[in-house]
Short mmCIF file of all heavy atoms in Angstrom, two decimals:
data_model
loop_
_atom_site.label_atom_id
_atom_site.label_comp_id
_atom_site.label_asym_id
_atom_site.label_seq_id
_atom_site.Cartn_x
_atom_site.Cartn_y
_atom_site.Cartn_z
N LEU F 1 16.94 -5.98 -6.20
CA LEU F 1 15.92 -5.72 -5.12
C LEU F 1 14.79 -4.93 -5.65
O LEU F 1 14.91 -3.98 -6.39
CB LEU F 1 16.63 -4.75 -4.17
CG LEU F 1 15.68 -4.21 -2.95
CD1 LEU F 1 15.21 -5.29 -2.10
CD2 LEU F 1 16.44 -3.14 -2.13
N TYR F 2 13.59 -5.51 -5.50
CA TYR F 2 12.34 -4.91 -6.02
C TYR F 2 11.56 -4.31 -4.88
O TYR F 2 11.43 -5.07 -3.79
CB TYR F 2 11.48 -5.93 -6.74
CG TYR F 2 12.00 -6.42 -8.10
CD1 TYR F 2 12.93 -7.47 -8.01
CD2 TYR F 2 11.57 -5.95 -9.22
CE1 TYR F 2 13.39 -8.03 -9.29
CE2 TYR F 2 12.06 -6.34 -10.46
CZ TYR F 2 13.04 -7.40 -10.43
OH TYR F 2 13.50 -7.80 -11.65
N LEU F 3 11.21 -3.12 -4.91
CA LEU F 3 10.41 -2.54 -3.76
C LEU F 3 9.16 -1.96 -4.20
O LEU F 3 9.04 -1.11 -5.26
CB LEU F 3 11.27 -1.37 -3.19
CG LEU F 3 10.78 -0.61 -1.95
CD1 LEU F 3 10.45 -1.49 -0.77
CD2 LEU F 3 11.56 0.67 -1.61
N ALA F 4 8.05 -2.32 -3.58
CA ALA F 4 6.82 -1.73 -3.95
C ALA F 4 5.87 -1.55 -2.66
O ALA F 4 6.33 -1.76 -1.52
CB ALA F 4 6.05 -2.79 -4.88
N SER F 5 4.61 -1.16 -2.97
CA SER F 5 3.69 -0.95 -1.80
C SER F 5 2.57 -1.95 -1.75
O SER F 5 1.58 -1.81 -1.06
CB SER F 5 3.05 0.48 -1.94
OG SER F 5 4.05 1.44 -1.90
N GLY F 6 2.84 -3.08 -2.38
CA GLY F 6 1.84 -4.14 -2.42
C GLY F 6 2.31 -5.39 -3.21
O GLY F 6 3.30 -5.29 -3.93
N GLY F 7 1.67 -6.57 -3.03
CA GLY F 7 1.86 -7.75 -3.74
C GLY F 7 0.65 -8.59 -3.55
O GLY F 7 0.63 -9.43 -2.66
N TRP F 8 -0.27 -8.46 -4.44
CA TRP F 8 -1.53 -9.16 -4.22
C TRP F 8 -1.69 -10.32 -5.24
O TRP F 8 -1.18 -10.25 -6.38
CB TRP F 8 -2.72 -8.26 -4.55
CG TRP F 8 -4.02 -8.64 -4.22
CD1 TRP F 8 -4.64 -8.65 -2.96
CD2 TRP F 8 -4.93 -9.12 -5.15
NE1 TRP F 8 -5.87 -9.10 -3.02
CE2 TRP F 8 -6.16 -9.52 -4.32
CE3 TRP F 8 -4.94 -9.53 -6.49
CZ2 TRP F 8 -7.24 -10.11 -4.96
CZ3 TRP F 8 -6.08 -10.08 -7.01
CH2 TRP F 8 -7.23 -10.49 -6.29
N PRO F 9 -2.20 -11.45 -4.76
CA PRO F 9 -2.96 -11.71 -3.54
C PRO F 9 -2.17 -12.32 -2.36
O PRO F 9 -2.70 -12.53 -1.38
CB PRO F 9 -4.03 -12.71 -4.00
CG PRO F 9 -3.23 -13.59 -5.08
CD PRO F 9 -2.40 -12.67 -5.77
N ARG F 10 -0.81 -12.27 -2.50
CA ARG F 10 -0.01 -12.83 -1.41
C ARG F 10 -0.24 -11.97 -0.12
O ARG F 10 -0.43 -12.43 0.94
CB ARG F 10 1.40 -12.81 -1.76
CG ARG F 10 2.40 -13.19 -0.54
CD ARG F 10 2.15 -14.63 -0.06
NE ARG F 10 3.05 -14.96 1.03
CZ ARG F 10 2.76 -14.67 2.31
NH1 ARG F 10 1.62 -14.15 2.66
NH2 ARG F 10 3.59 -14.92 3.24
N TYR F 11 -0.28 -10.63 -0.32
CA TYR F 11 -0.60 -9.69 0.79
C TYR F 11 -1.90 -8.98 0.58
O TYR F 11 -2.16 -8.48 -0.50
CB TYR F 11 0.60 -8.63 0.85
CG TYR F 11 1.91 -9.36 1.20
CD1 TYR F 11 2.85 -9.61 0.18
CD2 TYR F 11 2.18 -9.96 2.48
CE1 TYR F 11 4.04 -10.17 0.37
CE2 TYR F 11 3.44 -10.57 2.59
CZ TYR F 11 4.29 -10.78 1.68
OH TYR F 11 5.50 -11.29 1.83
N ALA F 12 -2.72 -8.91 1.56
CA ALA F 12 -4.04 -8.27 1.46
C ALA F 12 -3.71 -6.70 1.13
O ALA F 12 -2.79 -6.12 1.67
CB ALA F 12 -4.80 -8.28 2.82
N ARG F 13 -4.54 -6.23 0.34
CA ARG F 13 -4.38 -4.85 -0.16
C ARG F 13 -4.68 -3.86 1.05
O ARG F 13 -5.54 -4.11 1.77
CB ARG F 13 -5.30 -4.53 -1.34
CG ARG F 13 -4.91 -5.22 -2.59
CD ARG F 13 -5.83 -4.93 -3.75
NE ARG F 13 -7.13 -5.80 -3.49
CZ ARG F 13 -8.18 -5.66 -4.35
NH1 ARG F 13 -8.07 -4.83 -5.47
NH2 ARG F 13 -9.18 -6.33 -4.15
N ASN F 14 -3.81 -2.83 1.11
CA ASN F 14 -3.99 -1.79 2.14
C ASN F 14 -4.87 -0.67 1.63
O ASN F 14 -4.52 -0.07 0.55
CB ASN F 14 -2.61 -1.30 2.49
CG ASN F 14 -2.60 -0.44 3.84
OD1 ASN F 14 -3.54 0.31 4.06
ND2 ASN F 14 -1.52 -0.49 4.47
N PRO F 15 -5.93 -0.27 2.25
CA PRO F 15 -6.73 0.77 1.77
C PRO F 15 -6.22 2.30 2.01
O PRO F 15 -6.69 3.24 1.46
CB PRO F 15 -8.03 0.67 2.56
CG PRO F 15 -7.68 -0.02 3.88
CD PRO F 15 -6.50 -0.87 3.46
N HIS F 16 -5.17 2.33 2.82
CA HIS F 16 -4.37 3.53 3.05
C HIS F 16 -5.27 4.49 3.95
O HIS F 16 -5.13 5.73 3.76
CB HIS F 16 -3.89 4.27 1.80
CG HIS F 16 -3.17 3.34 0.90
ND1 HIS F 16 -3.38 3.24 -0.33
CD2 HIS F 16 -2.17 2.40 1.17
CE1 HIS F 16 -2.58 2.32 -0.91
NE2 HIS F 16 -1.81 1.75 0.09
N THR F 17 -6.16 3.93 4.74
CA THR F 17 -7.01 4.75 5.58
C THR F 17 -6.68 4.73 7.05
O THR F 17 -7.23 5.38 7.76
CB THR F 17 -8.56 4.38 5.33
OG1 THR F 17 -8.63 3.02 5.82
CG2 THR F 17 -9.05 4.51 3.94
N GLY F 18 -5.75 3.72 7.31
CA GLY F 18 -5.47 3.50 8.78
C GLY F 18 -6.18 2.29 9.25
O GLY F 18 -5.96 1.83 10.39
N GLU F 19 -7.09 1.67 8.45
CA GLU F 19 -7.86 0.51 8.82
C GLU F 19 -7.27 -0.72 8.06
O GLU F 19 -6.80 -0.55 6.95
CB GLU F 19 -9.31 0.68 8.48
CG GLU F 19 -10.01 1.81 9.15
CD GLU F 19 -10.12 1.75 10.60
OE1 GLU F 19 -10.16 0.52 11.09
OE2 GLU F 19 -10.15 2.64 11.40
N ASP F 20 -7.35 -1.87 8.65
CA ASP F 20 -6.91 -3.04 8.00
C ASP F 20 -7.86 -3.68 7.06
O ASP F 20 -7.44 -4.27 6.12
CB ASP F 20 -6.54 -4.12 9.11
CG ASP F 20 -5.28 -3.81 9.85
OD1 ASP F 20 -4.28 -3.33 9.25
OD2 ASP F 20 -5.22 -4.17 11.10
N GLN F 21 -9.15 -3.45 7.43
CA GLN F 21 -10.19 -4.09 6.46
C GLN F 21 -10.15 -3.51 5.12
O GLN F 21 -10.33 -2.19 5.11
CB GLN F 21 -11.55 -4.02 7.22
CG GLN F 21 -12.65 -4.73 6.46
CD GLN F 21 -12.43 -6.29 6.47
OE1 GLN F 21 -11.87 -6.90 7.40
NE2 GLN F 21 -12.85 -6.90 5.37
N TRP F 22 -10.15 -4.29 4.02
CA TRP F 22 -10.22 -3.72 2.73
C TRP F 22 -11.60 -3.11 2.47
O TRP F 22 -12.64 -3.81 2.72
CB TRP F 22 -9.82 -4.77 1.71
CG TRP F 22 -10.16 -4.32 0.33
CD1 TRP F 22 -11.12 -4.72 -0.48
CD2 TRP F 22 -9.42 -3.37 -0.45
NE1 TRP F 22 -11.04 -4.11 -1.70
CE2 TRP F 22 -9.99 -3.28 -1.73
CE3 TRP F 22 -8.30 -2.59 -0.15
CZ2 TRP F 22 -9.55 -2.42 -2.70
CZ3 TRP F 22 -7.81 -1.77 -1.13
CH2 TRP F 22 -8.38 -1.69 -2.39
N ASN F 23 -11.65 -1.92 1.91
CA ASN F 23 -12.86 -1.33 1.56
C ASN F 23 -12.65 -0.66 0.23
O ASN F 23 -11.97 0.52 0.17
CB ASN F 23 -13.26 -0.31 2.62
CG ASN F 23 -14.69 0.31 2.32
OD1 ASN F 23 -15.06 0.60 1.18
ND2 ASN F 23 -15.53 0.55 3.25
N GLY F 24 -13.06 -1.25 -0.86
CA GLY F 24 -12.80 -0.58 -2.15
C GLY F 24 -13.40 0.70 -2.39
O GLY F 24 -12.82 1.51 -3.24
N LYS F 25 -14.42 1.09 -1.75
CA LYS F 25 -15.06 2.36 -1.86
C LYS F 25 -14.19 3.52 -1.26
O LYS F 25 -14.13 4.63 -1.75
CB LYS F 25 -16.47 2.43 -1.31
CG LYS F 25 -17.36 1.52 -2.16
CD LYS F 25 -18.79 1.59 -1.61
CE LYS F 25 -19.80 0.82 -2.32
NZ LYS F 25 -21.26 0.76 -1.87
N GLU F 26 -13.53 3.14 -0.15
CA GLU F 26 -12.69 4.14 0.56
C GLU F 26 -11.33 4.15 0.29
O GLU F 26 -10.50 5.10 0.51
CB GLU F 26 -12.89 4.01 2.09
CG GLU F 26 -14.33 4.16 2.68
CD GLU F 26 -14.40 4.03 4.14
OE1 GLU F 26 -13.33 3.92 4.77
OE2 GLU F 26 -15.56 4.15 4.68
N ALA F 27 -10.77 3.02 -0.33
CA ALA F 27 -9.40 2.91 -0.71
C ALA F 27 -9.00 4.04 -1.69
O ALA F 27 -9.84 4.44 -2.52
CB ALA F 27 -9.13 1.60 -1.27
N LYS F 28 -7.67 4.45 -1.52
CA LYS F 28 -7.30 5.57 -2.38
C LYS F 28 -5.83 5.33 -2.85
O LYS F 28 -5.07 4.59 -2.15
CB LYS F 28 -7.31 6.92 -1.69
CG LYS F 28 -6.58 6.91 -0.44
CD LYS F 28 -6.82 8.21 0.38
CE LYS F 28 -6.00 8.28 1.63
NZ LYS F 28 -6.25 9.62 2.40
N PRO F 29 -5.43 5.83 -4.05
CA PRO F 29 -4.02 5.74 -4.44
C PRO F 29 -3.09 6.37 -3.42
O PRO F 29 -3.48 7.28 -2.65
CB PRO F 29 -4.00 6.52 -5.75
CG PRO F 29 -5.39 6.44 -6.16
CD PRO F 29 -6.23 6.55 -4.97
N LEU F 30 -1.89 5.82 -3.37
CA LEU F 30 -0.85 6.24 -2.43
C LEU F 30 0.29 6.82 -3.19
O LEU F 30 0.76 6.34 -4.21
CB LEU F 30 -0.40 5.03 -1.65
CG LEU F 30 0.73 5.27 -0.62
CD1 LEU F 30 0.17 5.96 0.60
CD2 LEU F 30 1.41 3.93 -0.27
N HIS F 31 0.86 7.99 -2.64
CA HIS F 31 2.09 8.63 -3.27
C HIS F 31 3.14 8.42 -2.27
O HIS F 31 3.06 8.86 -1.14
CB HIS F 31 1.83 10.13 -3.56
CG HIS F 31 0.70 10.26 -4.54
ND1 HIS F 31 -0.69 10.49 -4.14
CD2 HIS F 31 0.61 10.33 -5.91
CE1 HIS F 31 -1.44 10.52 -5.23
NE2 HIS F 31 -0.68 10.55 -6.27
N VAL F 32 4.22 7.77 -2.71
CA VAL F 32 5.35 7.37 -1.82
C VAL F 32 6.58 7.91 -2.40
O VAL F 32 6.76 8.02 -3.63
CB VAL F 32 5.48 5.83 -1.66
CG1 VAL F 32 6.40 5.49 -0.49
CG2 VAL F 32 4.02 5.21 -1.52
N THR F 33 7.54 8.40 -1.51
CA THR F 33 8.91 8.78 -1.96
C THR F 33 9.97 8.11 -1.11
O THR F 33 9.94 8.29 0.13
CB THR F 33 8.99 10.39 -1.90
OG1 THR F 33 8.20 10.97 -2.73
CG2 THR F 33 10.47 10.70 -2.28
N LEU F 34 10.84 7.39 -1.76
CA LEU F 34 12.06 6.89 -1.00
C LEU F 34 12.99 7.99 -0.87
O LEU F 34 13.37 8.69 -1.85
CB LEU F 34 12.66 5.73 -1.84
CG LEU F 34 13.88 5.09 -1.29
CD1 LEU F 34 13.64 4.40 0.05
CD2 LEU F 34 14.61 4.17 -2.31
N VAL F 35 13.49 8.27 0.34
CA VAL F 35 14.40 9.40 0.78
C VAL F 35 15.73 8.80 1.08
O VAL F 35 15.86 7.95 2.03
CB VAL F 35 13.77 10.18 1.87
CG1 VAL F 35 14.78 11.29 2.26
CG2 VAL F 35 12.43 10.76 1.50
N VAL F 36 16.74 9.21 0.50
CA VAL F 36 18.11 8.74 0.69
C VAL F 36 19.03 9.89 0.84
O VAL F 36 19.17 10.72 -0.12
CB VAL F 36 18.66 7.86 -0.43
CG1 VAL F 36 20.08 7.24 -0.02
CG2 VAL F 36 17.75 6.71 -0.74
N ASP F 37 19.69 10.06 1.98
CA ASP F 37 20.63 11.17 2.22
C ASP F 37 21.62 10.66 3.29
O ASP F 37 21.60 9.53 3.68
CB ASP F 37 20.05 12.45 2.62
CG ASP F 37 19.07 12.41 3.76
OD1 ASP F 37 19.40 11.56 4.72
OD2 ASP F 37 18.06 13.10 3.80
N GLU F 38 22.49 11.57 3.70
CA GLU F 38 23.55 11.20 4.66
C GLU F 38 22.98 10.64 5.92
O GLU F 38 23.46 9.71 6.51
CB GLU F 38 24.50 12.38 4.99
CG GLU F 38 25.61 12.04 5.87
CD GLU F 38 26.52 13.27 6.01
OE1 GLU F 38 26.29 14.32 5.47
OE2 GLU F 38 27.55 13.08 6.84
#
């Protein structure tokens, strides 16, 4: 199982701003944590 936050160009890149439209000037890196507990 491979898990990521993107797969381009199959999936449009997410700018992580809450908007769907890609904007390279406003897009920013994303920090994600997978949480596993009971």
Side-chain angles (χ1 to χ4, degrees):
L1 172 67
Y2 292 84
L3 179 64
S5 296
W8 190 83
R10 173 66 180 86
Y11 300 103
R13 289 176 289 180
N14 191 324
H16 310 135
T17 61
E19 301 293 332
D20 285 324
Q21 185 67 34
W22 170 254
N23 185 326
K25 293 182 179 180
E26 295 184 5
K28 57 183 181 180
L30 178 77
H31 301 91
V32 194
T33 299
L34 178 67
V35 178
V36 185
D37 56 33
E38 186 175 356

